[in-house]
Amino acid sequence: MQLTILGSGNAAGVPVYGCNCPACARARQDSAYRRRACSAFLETETDNLLLDAGLPDLDERFPAGTLQAILLTHYHMDHVQGLFRLRWGVHEPIPVISPNDAKGADDLYKHPGIFDFTHRAQAFVPLQIGGFSITPIKLYHSRPALGYYLRYGERSIAYLTDTVGLPEVSCEFLAAQEIDLLVIDASEPPRQTPPRNHNDLDLALAIHTLIRPHQTLLTHIGHELDNYLQEHPHALPADVRPAYDGLTIEL
Amino acid sequence: MQLTILGSGNAAGVPVYGCNCPACARARQDSAYRRRACSAFLETETDNLLLDAGLPDLDERFPAGTLQAILLTHYHMDHVQGLFRLRWGVHEPIPVISPNDAKGADDLYKHPGIFDFTHRAQAFVPLQIGGFSITPIKLYHSRPALGYYLRYGERSIAYLTDTVGLPEVSCEFLAAQEIDLLVIDASEPPRQTPPRNHNDLDLALAIHTLIRPHQTLLTHIGHELDNYLQEHPHALPADVRPAYDGLTIEL
Ligand SMILES: [Mn+2]
Ligand SMILES: [Mn+2]
Ligand SMILES: [Mn+2]
Ligand SMILES: [Mn+2]
Ligand SMILES: [Zn+2]
Ligand SMILES: [Zn+2]
């Protein structure tokens, strides 16, 4: 299977509006350094899944008929914003699998349009979409949020954003799996005070060490982590690297 | 003053996701026919106002320091969506003038970031922003919504979206004003049944006739109105025309 990082940024994105720090200045000069709303696309010869839907141009990236299902980690706006215009499309219902969040985002439940939000995922209750075997993973975040452990044939990915740390039950589950690729929230550089709602780099690396995937991508990255990584070029172990928008990984 | 139509589309936009009608096919082929989230930019030599904020790329259109204030007609997502990422910017507070809507949109009030949503407009209570004299206008819509009558020196604009018809008090107020330009919701072609939440073309033209502006632009246009206007090339009087994205009018 092939994973494409569509967006690797936090809710502010990079560049941050009005910010002139080195990371934001670089992203404004060279769009290769931009970080858009955190999301990814997973595809095989026969199946595909969109992981989160915060990008504004999903209609151009995924013309009608090309999206099999959408997996939402949670209903924060940076993860669902792209659905608001698309929902008024002309299309068969597109299944959206999401955590059991009573409110959703704004009026998405009230006016779902072409999206079917009735598929609620529960932590550790496996589900199947085409050839994908998916286990929702419990996370710690400021509203109901799920990570996903996805298997296709022999290959597997753990996609874990947005989270601050990882519940013990999730660590135990994931440590017992073979994981080819971990994609993990690393929103901030190492903090002196405990991070809230999102991993700092230390927490992300601790999860990497606990879970022992073959390789790890950092995502949901904010401008301050970009600056930190510029200043600390040896901060990451060899099997960990920051994601970037458009990065494709074959597994 | 100069008005630029940034977006002239309804909540679905044109092209509609998955739609292959002539209007949508044309817009997919030639981006000049696209209709983005309904919004406009009003500027003079010294002042400016953004009218609604549904576009996803406001940061690129309006770099930090260039926006004086934002006037919101209401808190439907197609009119505010562009604020969610920008709010996490590095910037002095940007005043947002909006109707008195207790809920706002999603978590904008809870996490306003760089935006100041405390400026609540009330129908017919005038306000001043720089050289702009602004009178909020009562509208009929599915949630609290205001139009705006804007004067700058001798020139004036009435910007009225989203609305279905116009309350009598608003008709009377506007009919008594000199109006250089009316920008009016015309979401749909003429309907047999009474339109809900938005003007059809008949209602928009009736308001044009009542208010007697020097010229009128139709906005918040859906693909069906585009098709209707293609099929009925003489449907509009000489002083009424459909807006298009990027249209600039000097007043
Ligand atoms: Mn997020
Ligand atoms: Mn979140
Ligand atoms: Mn609207
Ligand atoms: Mn509306
Ligand atoms: Zn920055
Ligand atoms: Zn169409």
Side-chain angles (χ1 to χ4, degrees), chain B residues 78-79 162 198 220:
Chain B
D78 54 320
H79 297 258
D162 300 10
H198 293 284
H220 210 274

Side-chain angles (χ1 to χ4, degrees), chain A residues 13-25 28 222-224 227, chain B residues 90:
Chain A
V14 180
V16 174
Y17 186 60
C19 184
N20 293 311
C21 78
C24 291
R28 228 171 260 119
H223 61 154
E224 289 179 6
N227 286 321
Chain B
V90 179

Side-chain angles (χ1 to χ4, degrees), chain B:
Chain B
M1 62 183 159
Q2 180 177 295
L3 182 80
T4 301
I5 299 292
L6 303 176
S8 60
N10 68 358
V14 180
V16 173
Y17 186 59
C19 183
N20 292 312
C21 78
C24 290
R26 179 177 70 172
R28 227 171 259 118
Q29 276 208 321
D30 181 349
S31 68
Y33 292 101
R34 283 184 182 246
R35 297 190 185 279
R36 294 169 187 81
C38 184
S39 52
F41 186 61
L42 190 58
E43 58 192 315
T44 70
E45 278 181 20
T46 53
D47 295 303
N48 72 65
L49 286 174
L50 177 63
L51 291 161
D52 281 337
L55 293 174
D57 57 353
L58 292 174
D59 51 341
E60 288 166 47
R61 293 171 185 260
F62 304 104
T66 63
L67 274 183
Q68 190 168 346
I70 300 175
L71 230 55
L72 294 182
T73 60
H74 64 305
Y75 281 95
H76 273 151
M77 198 52 73
D78 54 320
H79 297 258
V80 300
Q81 193 159 19
L83 302 179
F84 284 89
R85 184 167 52 85
L86 259 64
R87 64 181 158 166
W88 305 120
V90 179
H91 207 283
E92 290 171 18
I94 297 177
V96 178
I97 293 88
S98 67
N100 201 357
D101 184 322
K103 288 186 3 183
D106 202 66
D107 62 354
L108 272 187
Y109 288 170
K110 188 177 172 194
H111 300 296
I114 64 169
F115 297 111
D116 176 0
F117 293 101
T118 61
H119 305 264
R120 294 302 160 77
Q122 285 188 43
F124 306 113
V125 178
L127 52 126
Q128 192 80 21
I129 299 178
F132 294 108
S133 300
I134 305 170
T135 306
I137 304 294
K138 188 172 190 237
L139 301 179
Y140 286 140
H141 196 47
S142 51
R143 68 188 295 168
L146 290 171
Y148 294 101
Y149 174 68
L150 305 118
R151 290 200 67 90
Y152 197 91
E154 297 294 293
R155 297 289 160 228
S156 64
I157 294 177
Y159 189 87
L160 308 180
T161 187
D162 300 10
T163 192
V164 53
L166 205 56
E168 181 132 351
V169 58
S170 300
C171 283
E172 279 169 14
F173 175 88
L174 291 167
Q177 313 298 323
E178 178 99 1
I179 301 177
D180 292 303
L181 175 67
L182 168 66
V183 185
I184 182 84
D185 181 335
S187 295
E188 298 183 81
R191 289 171 57 114
Q192 299 304 317
T193 53
R196 291 181 56 203
N197 299 327
H198 293 284
N199 290 334
D200 66 358
L201 180 59
D202 288 343
L203 265 177
L205 293 179
I207 292 168
H208 165 77
T209 300
L210 273 167
I211 292 181
R212 299 183 306 278
H214 295 182
Q215 57 174 317
T216 287
L217 283 179
L218 308 179
T219 194
H220 210 274
I221 293 172
H223 62 153
E224 290 178 6
L225 180 57
D226 268 338
N227 286 321
Y228 180 87
L229 293 175
Q230 275 291 108
E231 292 159 12
H232 301 81
H234 306 294
L236 303 183
D239 47 358
V240 178
R241 57 186 169 138
Y244 58 85
D245 294 17
L247 171 63
T248 291
I249 295 192
E250 284 285 353
L251 293 169

Side-chain angles (χ1 to χ4, degrees), chain A residues 36-49:
Chain A
R36 295 170 186 80
C38 184
S39 52
F41 186 61
L42 189 58
E43 58 193 314
T44 70
E45 278 181 19
T46 53
D47 294 302
N48 71 66
L49 285 174

Side-chain angles (χ1 to χ4, degrees), chain A residues 92-116:
Chain A
E92 291 171 17
I94 297 176
V96 178
I97 294 88
S98 67
N100 202 356
D101 184 322
K103 289 189 354 184
D106 202 65
D107 63 355
L108 272 187
Y109 289 170
K110 188 176 173 195
H111 300 296
I114 64 169
F115 297 112
D116 177 359

